Amino acid sequence: MRRALGIGAWLLTVAAGLGVFLVLPHLVSDFHSRDLARAGVFFIAIVGLNLLTGYTGQISLGHGALMAIGGYTTAALVVHEHWRDVWTIPLAGIAAGIVGFIIGIPALRLSGLYLALATFGFAVAIPSLLKKFSGLTGGTQGLRFLESAPLQVTGLTGKVTIFGHTMTQNHFLYYLTWSIGIVGFALAWLIVRGRLGRVFRSVRDSEIAAVSSGVNLAATKTLAFALSGVYAGVAGALLAIQDEIVNPLTYTFLLSILVLVGAVVGGLGSLPGLVLGALFVQYLPKISTHVSGRSGVRDFVYGAAIIVVMILLPTGAGGFLRRVARPLTTWLYTRP
Amino acid sequence: MALLSVEGVTRRFGGIVAVDDVSLDVGEGEIVGLIGPNGAGKTTVFNLITRLYRPESGEIAFAGESLLRTPPHGVVRRGIARTFQNVELFGSMTVLEHVLMGRHARRGRRARKILGYVGVAAHAHRLARELPYGLQKRVELARALASGPRLLLLDEPAGGLNHEEVEELGGLIRRLRDDFELTVLLVEHHMGLVMGAAERVHVLDFGRRIASGTPAEVQNDPAVIEAYLGTTNG
């Protein structure tokens, strides 16, 4: 009986979430859907970072650079090879996954703050590297889809038709991003709940006990980095598709920090709060600007908001949700 | 032939020789105690057997094959499981999840059976870290047993337990050996437990093996009395 109620509550939550996903763009202005699509990019990157940092315990301050790998893979394929933009997404994910795997190798010798600094170095170095190989990357100018390969941009005319259903380009970008986000979220959820998730957590909780249980630390950490890289790469590809341009300025180390802020605010080591983490990262700058257009005041509001959230929600939104829901879940899952 | 043989193994940390040319053996089906004063190198020997440390010289063989080419995470697959002196649990995991981790590399008996055997089945869905210390040690034991080991290494299983729990432990170790067809090597400070449960004892002092034999023999060995028993009132 309680088990049925538990499953019912769970299904209801999923249905409500999907309902919000479908209806939301129709409740806000068309232009605003684009902001929501941008939040979806953060969401995907944050889910990926959480698999690595939240579950495996490996801090990365380099995820902005992995997003750059994804974004530039998409841009290079569109501009140089004339691929249709959306079809580049899987390859962008794979490319960033491979780079993530490679970054994971030094992580075998580093941990905690040292690993954070090493990955941070990667985040700082990537924009300069992008400027250097200008034949491929367009240098400081970046690559512009509309000038170089307009026919490859989905929704160039402002309308997109899928399965006989016509929508605006902004709605298309919203549904594209969040559909991928939901699938990525579901996959992450399956991973976290399963055997691999348990192995990830064992590495985070106690490396020595994990090894003694037969966990290959090197394989597990590099796998987590690679997996996390795939998410970052897909997020970067979607960012490029939304912007119709890639440029070193988009992928500065600030992007890496924003993704980490989103993961921490959303709740490391839990998944449901990550939507809130993504919305926080996307909308806080806009809200801060709303308070005051002067950059000093804006930055102050932005920084203060992060401090306040961390004091009020030290375990992130995920921890808060868990605490609020605990009486219910305890009741549902305790045998009478 | 011995199931586990350690031959002439040395390991230094900086200038300190933690384990100095130590040889010892554990026969199949035996319960062997490894004793010695604090800092004698007992846990270091465990960490050498489980490949967490690399010996500078010497050989360690298990079931007739060298262990030194097995990576640390491969040791459990060879059939060696261990517990830790200061309980190494996974902070985010329930008791049941610990046993599932034990089954990660090698499937022993079914998780539920093991939980019942060590007496923590009632707590299967609680976080292991939230249990009293005595039960945490049981969880660690369950995790080790879940991998279906041939050799079980117990690092101070009586540490932190109260008098009654220690009394029980001796019986449990013997039952484990019989029911799971195990060989047991235990490091222990608690002389009563070692003398009651172990069939043979190796004694370490300052990284060297100073005596081996039955508990009765070792207790009467002058070198042991001087190094160890004499200083702790036996």
Side-chain angles (χ1 to χ4, degrees):
Chain A
M1 176 62 191
R2 286 192 180 186
R3 193 178 160 77
L5 272 175
I7 293 170
W10 189 84
L11 285 176
L12 212 64
T13 312
V14 172
L18 287 177
V20 170
F21 156 68
L22 288 171
V23 173
L24 197 57
H26 301 283
L27 302 179
V28 299
S29 71
D30 182 58
F31 179 73
H32 198 112
S33 312
R34 217 177 172 103
D35 282 351
L36 289 169
R38 174 67 67 106
V41 166
F42 281 117
F43 178 65
I44 295 166
I46 288 168
V47 170
L49 181 61
N50 207 10
L51 284 176
L52 180 69
T53 304
Y55 288 90
T56 321
Q58 312 295 302
I59 300 176
S60 167
L61 272 170
H63 264 50
L66 289 171
M67 289 174 73
I69 302 293
Y72 271 84
T73 303
T74 286
L77 288 170
V78 169
V79 170
H80 300 313
E81 304 295 326
H82 295 277
W83 283 36
R84 179 70 177 269
D85 55 2
V86 290
W87 303 130
T88 64
I89 296 172
L91 218 58
I94 291 168
I98 292 169
V99 175
F101 177 84
I102 295 166
I103 304 179
I105 294 170
L108 305 177
R109 305 187 138 265
L110 302 171
S111 60
L113 280 175
Y114 301 97
L115 177 59
L117 280 180
T119 52
F120 184 67
F122 178 63
V124 171
I126 277 286
S128 322
L129 274 176
L130 291 172
K131 285 178 205 163
K132 178 115 180 102
F133 298 98
S134 54
L136 186 67
T137 63
T140 322
Q141 296 295 311
L143 296 170
R144 296 163 190 274
F145 297 13
L146 289 178
E147 284 171 21
S148 315
L151 296 178
Q152 275 63 47
V153 174
T154 306
L156 184 67
T157 57
K159 295 278 177 209
V160 180
T161 304
I162 307 173
F163 305 129
H165 198 83
T166 302
M167 62 182 87
T168 66
Q169 190 192 20
N170 288 338
H171 279 187
F172 166 74
L173 291 172
Y174 167 87
Y175 284 118
L176 174 72
T177 307
W178 280 97
S179 304
I180 293 173
I182 287 167
V183 171
F185 180 82
L187 287 176
W189 187 77
L190 288 175
I191 290 169
V192 164
R193 302 254 317 181
R195 186 179 142 96
L196 183 58
R198 202 160 52 229
V199 169
F200 280 173
R201 280 187 291 140
S202 77
V203 171
R204 178 193 67 190
D205 291 352
S206 167
E207 289 198 356
I208 191 170
V211 171
S212 300
S213 302
V215 173
N216 184 336
L217 290 183
T220 307
K221 287 181 183 179
T222 45
L223 176 66
F225 260 99
L227 203 58
S228 190
V230 171
Y231 279 85
V234 169
L238 288 164
L239 187 59
I241 291 169
Q242 288 177 18
D243 289 353
E244 294 160 359
I245 179 178
V246 293
N247 179 316
L249 287 177
T250 314
Y251 301 100
T252 60
F253 69 85
L254 189 63
L255 184 63
S256 300
I257 290 174
L258 286 179
V259 175
L260 187 63
V261 166
V264 173
V265 169
L268 287 174
S270 81
L271 290 174
L274 298 184
V275 176
L276 297 173
L279 295 174
F280 181 86
V281 171
Q282 171 64 20
Y283 286 101
L284 187 57
K286 292 187 189 294
I287 292 167
S288 316
T289 311
H290 204 69
V291 174
S292 167
R294 287 164 58 195
S295 69
V297 179
R298 187 187 65 207
D299 293 348
F300 176 78
V301 170
Y302 186 71
I306 293 179
I307 293 170
V308 168
V309 167
M310 283 339 296
I311 290 171
L312 293 179
L313 304 175
T315 49
F320 179 72
L321 289 175
R322 237 194 330 256
R323 228 173 24 244
V324 171
R326 181 159 280 177
L328 180 69
T329 49
T330 311
W331 182 75
L332 286 173
Y333 292 111
T334 312
R335 293 211 185 99
Chain B
M1 189 191 62
L3 180 66
L4 175 75
S5 77
V6 174
E7 281 165 32
V9 164
T10 298
R11 168 77 202 204
R12 292 185 186 82
F13 293 105
I16 297 159
V17 188
V19 172
D20 187 3
D21 193 23
V22 164
S23 299
L24 53 88
D25 63 297
V26 182
E28 178 112 51
E30 268 192 307
I31 298 176
V32 174
L34 185 59
I35 63 172
N38 269 327
K42 306 180 297 283
T43 296
T44 306
V45 168
F46 264 30
N47 288 341
L48 286 163
I49 295 169
T50 53
R51 307 282 296 113
L52 295 178
Y53 300 152
R54 183 182 296 276
E56 274 142 50
S57 58
E59 172 63 29
I60 303 173
F62 179 69
E65 267 182 69
S66 174
L67 261 175
L68 299 182
R69 282 185 295 277
T70 303
H73 65 263
V75 169
V76 68
R77 225 168 258 114
R78 293 279 303 267
I80 301 175
R82 73 173 290 180
T83 64
F84 296 88
Q85 191 177 345
N86 298 314
V87 183
E88 284 284 341
L89 293 173
F90 301 119
S92 69
M93 294 194 201
T94 63
V95 171
L96 179 61
E97 284 179 305
H98 276 81
V99 178
L100 293 173
M101 276 310 297
R103 285 161 58 87
H104 169 74
R106 204 177 126 113
R107 304 286 157 94
R109 302 204 178 181
R110 299 198 42 203
R112 291 278 175 183
K113 275 196 176 151
I114 288 168
L115 289 178
Y117 192 96
V118 304
V120 290
H123 308 292
H125 295 289
R126 286 183 62 190
L127 285 178
R129 277 271 173 80
E130 291 177 354
L131 297 175
Y133 193 68
L135 289 179
Q136 291 190 15
K137 298 204 100 164
R138 295 287 176 112
V139 174
E140 241 198 350
L141 183 61
R143 179 177 65 196
L145 289 173
S147 68
R150 284 176 76 183
L151 173 65
L152 181 63
L153 306 175
L154 301 174
D155 198 349
E156 297 207 15
L161 300 189
N162 64 36
H163 186 69
E164 277 167 45
E165 289 171 322
V166 175
E167 297 274 287
E168 270 181 46
L169 188 62
L172 176 66
I173 291 171
R174 282 177 173 274
R175 264 186 291 129
L176 280 176
R177 187 262 308 268
D178 298 337
D179 295 348
F180 291 82
E181 294 168 0
L182 285 175
T183 302
V184 179
L185 177 60
L186 72 143
V187 159
E188 192 46 73
H189 262 313
H190 197 282
M191 292 308 294
L193 177 71
V194 178
M195 296 307 165
E199 291 147 350
R200 221 149 52 84
V201 180
H202 296 292
V203 188
L204 295 184
D205 190 28
F206 292 112
R208 293 183 146 271
R209 195 189 73 182
I210 56 168
S212 292
T214 64
E217 286 167 3
V218 161
Q219 261 173 320
N220 296 319
D221 189 307
V224 176
I225 292 167
E226 192 192 326
Y228 187 77
L229 299 175
T231 60
T232 56
N233 305 321

